[in-house]
């Protein structure tokens, strides 16, 4: 009876650890997506500002100097600010680091699922050994992972709570198989 109670606690701990790793995985995914989008928006804005500045230059060439000069100057200040920000923020590199951190968590997530699947067929000592190994593996990833923001976490939480996250309805997996394997 004592072992049954301990197995129940052990399963609960492993399930909670799995959930935490899933949240971290999705948070890193959201962080990467948000930074890629932000970089894309900044790049598009920089192109637009350059195009508008060129139009202002044409206006100056045709004698509309005062208004065009003010307009071009304002666009130049905004453009310079965006250039300095994007250079310092390293958004593409930061997004790649978050993507890599998420990718590194994929195998531990699968290993947690496998451990929970095999749980009833394993001895307590085997479960503890696998759990400890997974905890060490995840810890090594956490040490190297870039920090995420509260906004990244909120996006991940919303996604995990509102969508059927990487799950399938009954029979849906079979429909993905080639006809001969169904």
């Amino acid at each position: 009876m004592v072992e049954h109670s301990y197995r129940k606690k052990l399963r609960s701990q492993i399930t909670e650890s799995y959930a935490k790793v899933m949240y971290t995985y999705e948070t890193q995914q959201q962080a990467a997506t948000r930074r890629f989008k932000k970089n894309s928006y900044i790049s598009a804005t920089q192109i637009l500002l350059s195009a508008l500045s060129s139009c202002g230059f044409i206006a100056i060439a045709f004698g509309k100097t005062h208004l065009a000069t003010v307009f071009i100057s304002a666009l130049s200040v905004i453009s310079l600010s965006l250039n300095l920000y994007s250079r310092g923020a390293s958004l593409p590199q930061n997004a790649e680091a978050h993507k890599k951190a998420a990718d590194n968590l994929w195998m531990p997530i699968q290993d947690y699922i496998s451990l929970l699947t095999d749980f009833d067929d394993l001895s307590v000592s085997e479960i503890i050994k696998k759990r400890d190994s997974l905890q060490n593996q995840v810890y090594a990833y956490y040490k190297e992972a870039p920090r995420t923001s509260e906004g990244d976490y909120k996006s991940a939480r919303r996604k995990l709570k509102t969508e059927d996250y990487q799950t399938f309805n009954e029979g849906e997996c079979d429909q993905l198989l080639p006809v001969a394997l169904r």
Side-chain angles (χ1 to χ4, degrees):
M1 189 65 177
V2 172
E3 183 175 326
H4 175 72
S5 174
Y6 183 70
R7 286 180 73 86
K8 190 174 178 181
K9 290 177 187 176
L10 198 54
R11 184 178 186 92
S12 175
Q13 180 198 24
I14 292 167
T15 301
E16 186 173 325
S17 294
Y18 162 76
K20 288 176 180 177
V21 174
M22 273 303 298
Y23 261 93
T24 302
Y25 169 80
E26 188 55 41
T27 302
Q28 290 290 350
Q29 291 280 32
Q30 292 300 315
T33 299
R34 289 167 58 121
R35 280 143 188 87
F36 278 128
K37 281 182 183 178
K38 189 174 190 177
N39 185 61
S40 179
Y41 293 146
I42 288 173
S43 294
T45 302
Q46 288 170 318
I47 291 168
L48 178 65
L49 289 172
S50 295
L52 291 173
S53 295
S54 296
C55 292
F57 177 76
I58 293 169
I60 290 172
F62 289 107
K64 308 287 186 196
T65 57
H66 179 67
L67 184 60
T69 304
V70 171
F71 182 67
I72 290 174
S73 296
L75 292 179
S76 295
V77 168
I78 295 169
S79 182
L80 176 62
S81 298
L82 280 177
N83 287 337
L84 290 172
Y85 172 78
S86 63
R87 180 173 167 81
S90 304
L91 292 171
Q93 297 87 347
N94 195 279
E96 280 298 325
H98 285 289
K99 183 182 176 312
K100 182 180 176 191
D103 290 347
N104 286 337
L105 289 173
W106 183 249
M107 276 312 298
I109 287 169
Q110 298 309 307
D111 290 341
Y112 269 113
I113 291 170
S114 295
L115 178 56
L116 289 166
T117 301
D118 300 339
F119 190 87
D120 293 335
D121 295 330
L122 297 172
S123 69
V124 169
S125 63
E126 290 172 311
I127 294 168
I128 291 171
K129 183 178 176 184
K130 289 183 180 217
R131 176 207 58 196
D132 291 348
S133 174
L134 277 169
Q135 286 176 337
N136 288 330
Q137 191 178 359
V138 169
Y139 173 70
Y141 292 136
Y142 284 173
K143 282 188 350 184
E144 300 300 320
R147 298 290 176 226
T148 55
S149 70
E150 186 176 339
D152 300 329
Y153 179 77
K154 285 180 180 177
S155 293
R157 182 178 180 92
R158 191 171 35 257
K159 183 167 183 157
L160 289 170
K161 296 258 184 207
T162 59
E163 297 179 14
D164 283 336
Y165 193 79
Q166 297 181 353
T167 59
F168 299 96
N169 294 324
E170 189 171 331
E172 192 175 354
C173 289
D174 293 335
Q175 291 299 314
L176 299 174
L177 292 171
V179 175
L181 296 176
R182 291 184 198 161

